[in-house]
Amino acid sequence: MTIQLGQIAPDFEAETTQGTLRFHEWLGNSWGVLFSHPKDFTPVCTTELGETARLKPEFDRRGVKVIGLSVDTLDRHAGWEADIADTQGHAVNFPMIADPDKKVSALYGMVHPEADPSITVRTVFVIDPAKKVRLFMVYPPSTGRNFDEILRVIDSLQATDGQKVATPVNWRPGQRAIIPPSIPDEQAKALFPQGWEAERPYLRWVGTKA
């Protein structure tokens, strides 16, 4: 299945390390990050899961629920989580989906046969409270993900939704943003009464809230 931006994230029921859940119901009104791992007891994923556990307060602060997926079974997840806590210094504090039949993996297009038909690639989906897919990133099995970038993108999505702006290259919260070209000057005056700096007619800079 090919998932595109703006589509409703497919719903599913799955067994996880925190019990059986229905994905949309579990998300509720929160943002969500769903990310896959090739299989249990893999070194790169071990570091990623430890880092995600460390960053959970940052996800919580943004109203984001995190859930992982691996094609192994719950009993293997339990053993792997013990290793993660021991080697990374942070116990996994979010649910991990057990997907041995690859139903969820197939639903979200996480298995890329030309890469390896037996495992999932490192896929990340960011889903908004309306259950729409707002971002997806696909990493090869050999490359660990940058979770600072995932948080940065979530900050951008939340800022652009709430403040009607677009964010420039390498943007961080509190830095200036861009008024989208779709907003004409007359409408921009109402949205941004503080004014803006027009470097070009199409490049209008405005401050953002931290």
Side-chain angles (χ1 to χ4, degrees):
M1 178 176 181
T2 300
I3 296 176
Q4 297 183 336
L5 295 181
Q7 290 182 336
I8 299 296
D11 196 14
F12 58 85
E13 186 174 286
E15 297 294 323
T16 82
T17 51
Q18 296 185 8
T20 302
L21 60 78
R22 171 65 63 175
F23 186 52
H24 282 191
E25 180 182 353
W26 175 80
L27 280 174
N29 294 319
S30 298
W31 287 74
V33 171
L34 168 63
F35 64 121
S36 61
H37 302 273
K39 57 184 177 180
D40 292 3
F41 300 100
T42 49
V44 176
C45 290
T46 296
T47 65
E48 291 180 327
L49 289 169
E51 177 68 357
T52 305
R54 184 185 73 82
L55 290 172
K56 189 172 185 297
E58 293 297 321
F59 286 107
D60 291 344
R61 185 168 64 82
R62 293 163 172 82
V64 180
K65 292 183 176 180
V66 178
I67 187 167
L69 175 147
S70 173
V71 296
D72 283 309
T73 56
L74 283 179
D75 60 323
R76 284 181 61 80
H77 282 6
W80 189 25
E81 288 190 357
D83 275 4
I84 292 164
D86 187 44
T87 64
Q88 305 304 304
H90 295 277
V92 177
N93 47 16
F94 51 88
M96 279 287 293
I97 297 167
D99 192 34
D101 57 8
K102 297 189 178 71
K103 285 185 178 178
V104 180
S105 303
L107 190 62
Y108 276 78
M110 295 171 171
V111 177
H112 292 206
E114 296 298 326
D116 189 323
S118 64
I119 61 174
T120 56
V121 293
R122 290 193 169 86
T123 310
V124 181
F125 291 93
V126 174
I127 299 160
D128 70 16
K131 311 298 184 296
K132 290 185 178 180
V133 175
R134 300 295 298 276
L135 169 85
F136 57 87
M137 296 187 286
V138 181
Y139 288 69
S142 59
T143 301
R145 285 165 280 213
N146 184 331
F147 281 83
D148 287 337
E149 170 63 4
I150 293 168
L151 286 170
R152 191 193 75 85
V153 172
I154 291 169
D155 285 336
S156 173
L157 289 169
Q158 293 182 345
T160 55
D161 282 2
Q163 302 179 49
K164 308 303 180 187
V165 293
T167 57
V169 62
N170 298 331
W171 178 88
R172 294 284 181 178
Q175 295 178 346
R176 65 179 186 168
I178 295 167
I179 301 174
S182 59
I183 299 176
D185 283 352
E186 285 305 310
Q187 184 182 354
K189 289 176 183 177
L191 290 172
F192 309 102
Q194 74 273 29
W196 61 84
E197 176 191 347
E199 192 170 356
R200 293 288 188 276
Y202 64 87
L203 186 55
R204 296 167 295 172
W205 296 97
V206 66
T208 58
K209 301 172 186 176

